[in-house]
Amino acid sequence: MDSQKPIAVLKAAAPGSQTEDSSYTSGSSTISEMSGHEVLAEVQVVDVDILSVHLEQETSTKKQQATSPLGTLRLDQCKLYGREEHIASVQDGLFRVKQKRLNQKLNATLEFVLISGPSGSGKTAVATSIQQDVEQSPSGVYLQGKFDLAVQKEPYTAFATALGDLCFRASDILGREAFEQFHKETVTNLDSLELHLLHGIIPSMSLIAPETALRTDFCNSIKLEDQKNRLHYGFLKFIRVASAAFCPLVFFLDDLQWADVSSLELLKVLISDQENTNLMVIGTYRSNEVNPDLSKMIQDLRLQQQDKKAPLKLTRQDSNRQSLLSKRGSMSKLLSPGEDLGTNLTLTELSLGNLTVKEVEHITMDLLSLTDHTVAAPLAQILHRRTFGNPNYLKTLITALHDDDLLSFNVGTTEWCWDLDEIEKSSFATDNVVDLARRGIQRNASKEMHHLLMCVACLGSICKEKCIRLIWKRSSVGNTGERLLQQLLNQAVKQMFLEQIGSSQFRFTHDAVKEAVISSICLGEINALRQKIGGILFEELTEEELEAMLFLVADLLHNTDWPGSKLSQLLLRAAQKAKGVSAFSSASFYALNGIKRLRNMWHGDENVQLAIKLHSIAAEAERCLGNLPHAKRLCETIIGQDSVPNIDKMQAHKILIDMLWNEEEDFEISLNYSLDCMGETIDCHFPRGKAGQALGALRAIKYMKMEKSIPSVKEINALPQMTDTSRLFGMELMSMATYSAFFAGKPTLMLMLLTRRIQWSFQYGFHASMAPAYATMASAFMHALGDWERGRKMAKVAVQIVERAKELGVAGNSEQEVLYRLHFLVNPWTQPARSLSNQLIDGYKTCMLHGDVQCAFNVIGVYIFNHLLSGKELNDLEANVQSYKPQMAALKYDKFGFFIGLVGQAALNLMGRTEHTTMIDGIDENLNRQLWHQAQFVKRFLFAHFGEYKAGAQNSIKVGNEWLKSYPGVYFGYDAFHQAICLYGEARQIAQKQGNSCAPTLSTSQLPLYRKHAYKNHALIDSWVKKGGPNHVHHLSILDAERAALLSCTQMSHDACNLYEKAVLDSIDGGFVNHAALTEERFADYLWGVDARAEGIHHLENAIKLFSEWGALKKVEQLRERHAIWKVNDSLAKSQKDIMVRQRRQSLRSNH
């Protein structure tokens, strides 16, 4: 054998081998010579029978070669040299996930592996190296989704593919019983709204949990930001349920560099989940094609990891207890409850570079069955030099060498042969794997195969066989097209251009193949082909199929010469769908392209309406993306068109007002804009001056005091529904203006707006917004005007209006607004606190179901607060805080989380779970003023319960009701009581000192001030009780006792004692065990101060018992220390008294 021509049999496994059949090669001109239309047309003149014979012969040859054990290059089975450490890291991550399932104490973190490298470096191979291991587990699932450059604006493609696969396979993997449990957990944990939103991105979700139809008014009333947050939260909950059912659950997201913005946001939500550690997420991206959004996400992750404690990464070698001990240093510390061995996210970054010459040499020896390094080394050096060690490029080059007989197998000698000089002189001198792949396709694929591959390249990362057949049917003649297509598909799979997914889907074997196909024709020809394919799909697909593939069709057509109006309507549909799944970047893209394609948009009714819808959706999407100037310009474009009627400008005005209110928080400008808009568009005017507004408010109050302003149920039901468009617009504007007036500090104008809404409903027809208007009026009459009776009646009317609105299907967000206002501003003053819990939980669920997250969290805030103040067990309160606070964080309502966090800290302080009593973390002057005042309120609560009366009294005088008096919600009544306790407590201490000392001190000069403020709060609570407030009866009893004790602080008063006994009974009867305990403590202090020590100790013991029942163990500890001191002092006093008696008796005997 010639030593310079060693040989190989690559044709058996290499794609694209051909015979010399002249009838086949004569029609195989390169695709670069033909346009997109010519390609489609050229297929029609092919001699199908001749081509079929050729394909069958080629297939037969391939089969014979594939079955031969010799001379076959098994490229797909080649070992991954140079990737051993990377694969080990991925396997370690999987091992940790499995171990966490077995032992939750071990490193409770979510695994996130990021694999980067250039195209062809083996990222996918490393990521999928654990797939077999995962799926060998009884309930293990490896989910794979891929992003695609061709449909980059289609949102959530990879997630939809991966989770769609899960939905299809779930029942087979789990079995009947486990699948039924999975279904049950899904419908239990996700509410109807969350399921509805998930169905929008995962149509096959219906196989797990059928979608529940939601009322249209619910969907239309959801804020876009809340919709997005609810989608993310529903997604998180579904993944948590899935990761509990499937073990292990691995998510592989390929080609993140092409991910849309919405998908990256969803990925960030997924890997940030604090509660799901039974999950492994793998992402791959091209290191040289990172987009700005992905780059920022990766940088943020790295910074977060740097800020946290570096996690201890458990590996497969650490599976035994002793090796873990050596890593951690202490067995007790390792397995102690609550010990976190890492952070909530274990980030593993793997960077794949090119292979070394030695690694290429190993691959060459494996492929050519060589054992001598000296034989393989020269060829390996050439291959490495040509490919730079890129694995995919290496395989492509070897295939090309074989196709050109530069690498061949000698059957006689059973050895591979090659000529190094010829290989050196070959034309494969390119550093671009796509160029090499394109040459291989042009050389080895027929014209018909080119056409098929281009069609598949236009149909996304995974294409359905039905779509291919539709396109092929429109581009071939007679019945021969189907036969030819099937043969081409089979051949494409055999030649490793395509791979089949399931029974009816195909995808390219590698991105380089797809890119090679696309790059084989110019951009103009690609667009022509895309337009042709998009048009075929638009015309041939059913409406249901088109809706499912809407984004793909829109992506195919958006940059083509398709008829403008027709294209704009299609892009509008795509924008609306993207907006419906919170993909605002995609929604903006489709809407803006729809505007660009629409000609004469402000002429003709149809064009005008289409233009308004496109501009409005684009503006909403841009606002949600934070591009406020662009959103404003889009709205102003609509408003500035003379051809657009004022009523059609309504949505643009609403978006501008919403931006002023939410993003810029300029309530004064928002209010004035709303008033201007009402005046200009519907001739509805309100006074701007203070005098005019004051007069208008008086008239509004007068009207609301009239009997006709309190309609009966019959009168409400008799109202016709409001239908006039201008009036409907006016009601929406007045609702928005009411909010602005409140936050801008315009109470008189707010009263006028509320009354006008109610009057319009009687005058022009029933409208749901009159319900929250009545609920707000109820609060105003109760707290501003002191008319509790009328306030109760208005609250009742508000509930009746909501019921009518629900019957008509026009409730929108009125129900949740009424629920919040009544639960926060009315019910705590009119219903017993302990009876509110179930109502509040039901109200929270209703608000969440309707998508009004803000109202839901307002209601749950009242629930948490009511739990603390109504004396329910503190342990239950802590559990509630731990349940709802993460939800608030997940849904981006951190200020609510901050408040219930304050309540939670107060509970922990009382229970002794912290070292503090009245100290609260996270409070500083930089806080939002509302949050700062809420923090002060919680501190006053703690001051009262821990007996730090001086600090509480000073805080009450300094801050007092500065904020709460302008917002008389549930906090106000209890805060007045806690302030009074602190003021009375400090006043009594000063009075007792003053009574025991003749010398005045600085503190005694404060006594009149403390007493004055105590009496003021006392009188306020007295007025509430007289008006029927059920939750302040025991407050008044306690303060009556405190006042009597203050007036008799140096000698016992039977009146004070009786009042304390009554206060304890009133507290217990109302269910306020906390206040009963506090009263017993105050009573004990009083008795001890007037030298009734035995009784004082008895009531202190009662206080300890009641505080224990509440769960306030820190307070119990405090009182027990006092109890021990009192017992000692009492014993000493008795001993001294006995000594004095004995001395007196001895003196009497001596005298006698």
Side-chain angles (χ1 to χ4, degrees), residues 678-910:
M678 283 187 279
E680 294 172 5
T681 58
I682 56 175
D683 199 29
C684 177
H685 302 277
F686 290 87
R688 303 298 180 92
K690 289 184 178 180
Q693 289 177 3
L695 181 60
L698 290 174
R699 289 173 179 166
I701 292 169
K702 182 178 179 181
Y703 173 82
M704 294 306 299
K705 284 185 175 181
M706 297 169 65
E707 284 305 313
K708 68 177 183 180
S709 68
I710 307 293
S712 64
V713 175
K714 184 177 179 180
E715 289 172 327
I716 293 170
N717 291 336
L719 288 173
Q721 195 170 342
M722 187 182 290
T723 56
D724 183 274
T725 310
S726 63
R727 300 299 172 188
L728 290 169
F729 177 38
M731 291 293 277
E732 289 192 59
L733 283 178
M734 281 191 280
S735 296
M736 299 174 82
T738 304
Y739 282 105
S740 299
F742 173 78
F743 286 102
K746 307 279 186 181
T748 53
L749 185 54
M750 186 180 76
L751 284 173
M752 293 171 64
L753 287 160
L754 291 168
T755 306
R756 186 75 60 88
R757 286 160 63 183
I758 292 169
Q759 290 173 330
W760 272 30
S761 295
F762 288 124
Q763 187 176 354
Y764 301 114
F766 178 88
H767 193 277
S769 73
M770 69 187 294
Y774 264 105
T776 308
M777 271 293 187
S779 171
F781 266 77
M782 287 180 65
H783 302 295
L785 303 176
D787 191 342
W788 282 36
E789 184 60 32
R790 196 156 195 83
R792 288 191 183 94
K793 290 180 179 179
M794 289 178 174
K796 187 177 180 180
V797 170
V799 174
Q800 293 165 349
I801 293 169
V802 167
E803 292 304 315
R804 172 84 196 286
K806 287 164 69 176
E807 289 174 6
L808 295 173
V810 295
N813 62 351
S814 62
E815 182 177 7
Q816 48 268 32
E817 287 190 28
V818 167
L819 283 170
Y820 161 60
R821 283 166 175 73
L822 296 187
H823 284 316
F824 189 77
L825 300 167
V826 177
N827 293 346
W829 305 87
T830 61
Q831 298 181 30
R834 282 189 164 263
S835 70
L836 291 175
S837 294
N838 291 336
Q839 294 180 43
L840 290 166
I841 288 295
D842 290 342
Y844 159 78
K845 291 178 179 178
T846 298
C847 293
M848 288 296 282
L849 177 62
H850 295 179
D852 195 330
V853 181
Q854 182 170 346
C855 282
F857 287 153
N858 270 313
V859 171
I860 211 64
V862 176
Y863 170 76
I864 295 287
F865 183 75
N866 184 70
H867 192 135
L868 176 69
L869 298 180
S870 60
K872 294 184 179 181
E873 287 190 22
L874 292 174
N875 279 321
D876 293 341
L877 172 62
E878 183 198 9
N880 281 324
V881 171
Q882 293 299 324
S883 172
Y884 291 109
K885 189 175 179 183
Q887 188 182 77
M888 293 172 176
L891 294 175
K892 311 294 173 56
Y893 278 82
D894 294 327
K895 68 177 182 179
F896 292 99
F898 177 81
F899 173 66
I900 72 166
L902 292 176
V903 176
Q905 281 195 64
L908 291 174
N909 287 5
L910 286 162

Side-chain angles (χ1 to χ4, degrees), residues 56 170 188 213 244 259 339 544 620 650 755 845 1082 1099 1113:
E56 288 171 2
T188 301
E339 172 70 10
E544 183 178 350
E620 287 182 291
M650 176 181 71
T755 306
K845 291 178 179 178
R1082 296 294 299 147
H1099 284 284
L1113 301 183

Side-chain angles (χ1 to χ4, degrees), residues 256-555:
L256 286 171
Q257 76 277 359
W258 293 328
D260 59 287
V261 174
S262 302
S263 293
L264 289 177
E265 289 177 346
L266 200 58
L267 174 59
K268 283 188 283 187
V269 168
L270 178 62
I271 62 176
S272 301
D273 188 9
Q274 302 278 350
E275 298 183 27
N276 191 359
T277 59
N278 299 321
L279 177 66
M280 183 175 186
V281 181
I282 304 173
T284 64
Y285 67 94
R286 294 185 181 181
S287 52
N288 57 335
E289 298 181 31
V290 183
N291 65 58
D293 295 308
L294 176 60
S295 177
K296 184 178 185 306
M297 187 193 84
I298 294 171
Q299 290 300 323
D300 289 345
L301 282 173
R302 289 169 180 165
L303 289 173
Q304 288 172 12
Q305 293 293 298
Q306 290 173 7
D307 291 341
K308 296 176 182 178
K309 177 183 176 182
L312 171 65
K313 291 187 178 180
L314 185 67
T315 67
R316 290 164 294 160
Q317 286 70 39
D318 299 319
S319 57
N320 64 76
R321 192 177 176 100
Q322 187 59 41
S323 62
L324 280 172
L325 175 60
S326 64
K327 263 198 168 185
R328 202 60 173 174
S330 169
M331 181 65 71
S332 60
K333 184 175 181 181
L334 175 65
L335 300 178
S336 60
E339 172 70 10
D340 182 9
L341 303 188
T343 62
N344 74 299
L345 174 68
T346 298
L347 174 63
T348 303
E349 287 195 80
L350 304 176
S351 179
L352 274 58
N354 289 329
L355 303 177
T356 65
V357 175
K358 200 67 177 175
E359 288 160 348
V360 172
E361 183 181 312
H362 283 303
I363 292 174
T364 305
M365 292 178 68
D366 278 0
L367 288 175
L368 305 183
S369 302
L370 300 174
T371 57
D372 189 347
H373 285 273
T374 60
V375 175
L379 176 59
Q381 289 173 1
I382 295 175
L383 294 175
H384 185 270
R385 189 165 63 251
R386 291 291 179 86
T387 64
F388 303 100
N390 181 286
N392 185 59
Y393 191 5
L394 176 64
K395 292 180 181 181
T396 306
L397 178 59
I398 291 174
T399 302
L401 292 173
H402 176 264
D403 289 343
D404 281 6
D405 291 329
L406 295 173
L407 188 64
S408 58
F409 186 75
N410 188 318
V411 179
T413 61
T414 65
E415 292 181 324
W416 288 93
C417 301
W418 61 88
D419 187 323
L420 295 177
D421 293 336
E422 290 297 321
I423 292 175
E424 283 281 20
K425 290 187 290 185
S426 68
S427 59
F428 301 117
T430 174
D431 60 354
N432 190 329
V433 68
V434 174
D435 289 342
L436 190 57
R438 183 172 62 248
R439 294 180 189 181
I441 292 171
Q442 291 173 345
R443 180 176 60 252
N444 297 322
S446 65
K447 172 179 57 181
E448 294 77 17
M449 182 65 76
H450 274 111
H451 168 58
L452 171 64
L453 295 178
M454 282 198 301
C455 290
V456 174
C458 292
L459 294 174
S461 59
I462 297 178
C463 66
K464 296 181 179 179
E465 185 175 346
K466 179 178 179 179
C467 294
I468 300 173
R469 294 191 181 280
L470 283 175
I471 297 165
W472 198 263
K473 180 180 177 182
R474 289 281 293 268
S475 59
S476 59
V477 177
N479 298 323
T480 59
E482 287 289 326
R483 179 183 169 193
L484 173 61
L485 174 62
Q486 190 59 56
Q487 292 171 339
L488 287 171
L489 285 172
N490 293 340
Q491 187 68 13
V493 172
K494 289 183 176 67
Q495 289 183 296
M496 294 174 61
F497 295 138
L498 301 178
E499 59 183 352
Q500 191 165 1
I501 309 298
S503 60
S504 60
Q505 297 185 115
F506 294 87
R507 69 183 177 196
F508 282 95
T509 53
H510 195 276
D511 290 331
V513 180
K514 182 175 183 177
E515 292 171 46
V517 171
I518 294 172
S519 66
S520 64
I521 60 176
C522 68
L523 182 61
E525 292 164 348
I526 292 173
N527 288 338
L529 181 60
R530 288 169 64 87
Q531 179 174 332
K532 183 81 172 180
I533 292 173
I536 291 172
L537 294 177
F538 182 81
E539 294 167 6
E540 296 289 339
L541 293 174
T542 65
E543 187 62 29
E544 183 178 350
E545 290 171 335
L546 178 60
E547 183 63 25
M549 301 182 67
L550 187 59
F551 294 128
L552 172 62
V553 177
D555 285 338

Side-chain angles (χ1 to χ4, degrees), residues 1075-1124:
H1075 291 153
L1078 182 61
T1079 306
E1080 287 282 14
E1081 180 191 4
R1082 296 294 299 147
F1083 190 12
D1085 281 344
Y1086 170 71
L1087 291 169
W1088 187 264
V1090 295
D1091 212 25
R1093 298 190 172 190
E1095 287 185 313
I1097 291 172
H1098 168 71
H1099 284 284
L1100 189 64
E1101 290 169 349
N1102 287 346
I1104 291 172
K1105 180 181 177 182
L1106 290 168
F1107 274 122
S1108 297
E1109 184 180 334
W1110 188 30
L1113 301 183
K1114 185 78 169 182
K1115 180 65 180 179
V1116 169
E1117 179 185 334
Q1118 184 188 70
L1119 293 184
R1120 280 178 176 159
E1121 291 177 1
R1122 191 190 311 177
H1123 180 265

